[in-house]
Amino acid sequence: MDPIGYQISKLAHSFKSSVRNECEKRGIPSSYFQIFRCLHCNNGKISQKDIVEYAKFKPSTVSIVLSNMENDGLIKRVKDEKDARITLIELTELGNKKALEIKDVFDSMDKLLESELTKEDIDALDRILNKALKCLERRNNG
């Protein structure tokens, strides 16, 4: 049996490759995934600082990707209504459409994986993965 970390790494790589291939068929670069997910999970509007924290990317990387997304017409920058010093990143209509396409890709990958697992398998996997994630987060934050 392969070590657990190796198996998780292989699974993550395979999942990411499958998602990347499906998204690239739709003209969505892989560098946009996390930012789309971040925006979609926050009702399509979030600060750049929060994107950095959520996506776990370097600020310079987020800045470059956001500029590219803005040039592609997927996002726009707007002032926060509560604090004009803060600029929020907001999905455009096209950006919302692409975010939904990415969500559909992830949903189809989930369905594919779930088709091979029982309800009990899924519940156990969820519990085990959350336990492993908490263990690693404690180590990284401690």
Side-chain angles (χ1 to χ4, degrees), residues 39-63:
L39 284 159
H40 185 73
C41 291
N42 288 281
N43 299 317
K45 195 185 287 189
I46 190 170
S47 73
Q48 186 167 333
K49 179 183 172 203
D50 289 339
I51 292 172
V52 168
E53 289 176 21
Y54 179 90
K56 309 267 190 270
F57 290 155
K58 293 178 187 173
S60 58
T61 301
V62 170
S63 183

Side-chain angles (χ1 to χ4, degrees), residues 7 38 46 56 64 71 74 90-91 97 120 124 132 138:
Q7 291 182 58
C38 189
I46 190 170
K56 309 267 190 270
I64 291 166
N71 291 338
L74 302 170
E90 182 176 6
L91 289 171
K97 181 179 177 238
E120 292 78 20
R138 275 193 313 272

Side-chain angles (χ1 to χ4, degrees), residues 7-131:
Q7 291 182 58
I8 291 170
S9 179
K10 272 184 14 182
L11 175 63
H13 176 76
S14 183
F15 186 85
K16 209 174 194 181
S17 293
S18 296
V19 168
R20 182 180 55 247
N21 291 339
E22 288 301 312
C23 285
E24 286 178 355
K25 287 179 190 174
R26 293 165 171 78
I28 304 168
S30 60
S31 60
Y32 292 5
F33 296 166
Q34 284 291 82
I35 292 175
F36 267 125
R37 181 161 172 73
C38 189
L39 284 159
H40 185 73
C41 291
N42 288 281
N43 299 317
K45 195 185 287 189
I46 190 170
S47 73
Q48 186 167 333
K49 179 183 172 203
D50 289 339
I51 292 172
V52 168
E53 289 176 21
Y54 179 90
K56 309 267 190 270
F57 290 155
K58 293 178 187 173
S60 58
T61 301
V62 170
S63 183
I64 291 166
V65 173
L66 289 176
S67 291
N68 291 338
M69 291 176 78
E70 190 170 27
N71 291 338
D72 291 344
L74 302 170
I75 61 157
K76 60 184 175 181
R77 297 169 198 263
V78 296
K79 290 291 180 189
D80 187 330
E81 295 169 4
K82 297 174 186 159
D83 186 344
R85 297 172 298 172
I86 298 173
T87 300
L88 298 174
I89 308 303
E90 182 176 6
L91 289 171
T92 62
E93 188 174 326
L94 177 60
N96 273 311
K97 181 179 177 238
K98 293 294 184 183
L100 290 174
E101 287 182 44
I102 290 173
K103 182 184 179 315
D104 288 345
V105 168
F106 276 92
D107 288 349
S108 70
M109 289 290 130
D110 282 348
K111 285 181 184 168
L112 174 67
L113 292 171
E114 290 169 1
S115 72
E116 298 289 322
L117 302 170
T118 66
K119 168 90 169 90
E120 292 78 20
D121 290 339
I122 293 168
D123 290 344
L125 181 60
D126 182 61
R127 190 180 67 257
I128 292 164
L129 289 174
N130 279 313
K131 189 183 270 189

